[in-house]
Amino acid sequence: MPKPPSATVRTRTERVARILPILKRTYPNAKCSLDHASPLELLVATILSAQCTDDRVNIVTRTLFRKYRTPADYARVPQQELELDVQSTGFYRNKAKSLKGMAQALLDHHAGQVPQDMAALVELPGVGRKTANVVLGNAFGQNVGIVVDTHVGRLSKRLGLTKEDDPVKVELDLIPLIPQPDWALWSHLLIYHGRALCTARNPKCEQCPLLQDCPEGQKIVTQRGKGG
Ligand code: SF4
């Protein structure tokens, strides 16, 4: 017999059931903010997005995707040339190396296609669980896991859905709480909310439609009321 959910999981699930519709209503157009027209483009953009804003990545990929259309294009280009092409996203040596290694692995092991499989994706150079989740959820519509970036981690903690800091542990806490069809959307909604109101510094809790269900927000508002 499956174990019944603990009281904590039950409370958190009920909280998610209240806040998810509010977030959906507030951000009806929430979607992946990395521009892409294919799984390969999303994979490249996600690799480039490490320690870089999505806006900056989109500026770089606008040109990059016209120059590089297939894995063979990335595998063939000299490392230095690719470094120059991705330079403004930061950590460009590592990123260029990852892109070339990833492209070569696609050619060697996947007939030049991006695999639709978590185990195969995380084997690719430069691809971790977060990148694999982004690609599976957004390019293939497969909700295999939940993307936890800094916004998702910060907001999930403030909303009392996890106490963890490590993204993989946060993901494990979220998985039983969020309905699986909403896993990709959940990340987009939290990223939108993190940019709009629940910013890292000075979150706008007084204007937040989630305040009633946010333990951290209620603490912040009380402290502000006391002038703290
Ligand atoms: Fe973030 Fe404050 Fe809203 Fe909570 S109430 S989700 S801390 S903005």
Side-chain angles (χ1 to χ4, degrees), residues 14-130:
E14 287 164 5
R15 189 175 299 150
V16 167
R18 288 190 297 271
I19 65 182
L20 196 50
I22 299 174
L23 286 171
K24 285 181 182 178
R25 273 199 307 277
T26 311
Y27 308 104
N29 301 317
K31 63 175 178 56
C32 177
S33 45
L34 291 168
D35 294 339
H36 64 280
S38 68
L40 176 65
E41 287 190 357
L42 183 56
L43 182 51
V44 170
T46 311
I47 288 173
L48 293 178
S49 72
Q51 311 287 322
C52 182
T53 66
D54 291 352
D55 287 345
R56 166 55 48 194
V57 172
N58 289 338
I59 291 169
V60 169
T61 55
R62 213 171 292 151
T63 319
L64 196 76
F65 293 160
R66 279 202 292 269
K67 182 172 174 186
Y68 303 90
R69 295 181 183 272
T70 66
D73 294 335
Y74 291 97
R76 251 193 320 249
V77 70
Q79 166 88 15
Q80 268 185 329
E81 188 177 333
L82 187 54
E83 285 177 7
L84 280 178
D85 290 334
V86 302
Q87 194 170 28
S88 68
T89 66
F91 302 97
Y92 58 93
R93 288 208 175 93
N94 275 342
K95 288 181 182 176
K97 199 168 148 208
S98 293
L99 290 181
K100 284 183 66 63
M102 173 276 287
Q104 192 60 55
L106 292 185
L107 293 170
D108 291 346
H109 307 297
H110 302 286
Q113 302 295 313
V114 177
Q116 301 189 31
D117 174 71
M118 173 64 81
L121 277 166
V122 296
E123 285 291 310
L124 298 171
V127 179
R129 190 173 167 87
K130 179 178 151 232

Side-chain angles (χ1 to χ4, degrees), residues 158-159 193 197-198 203-205 208 210-211 214 216-217 220:
R158 283 178 173 170
L159 288 163
H193 194 55
L197 292 181
C198 195
K204 300 178 184 69
C205 303
C208 180
L210 307 182
L211 179 60
C214 180
E216 184 63 23
I220 293 171

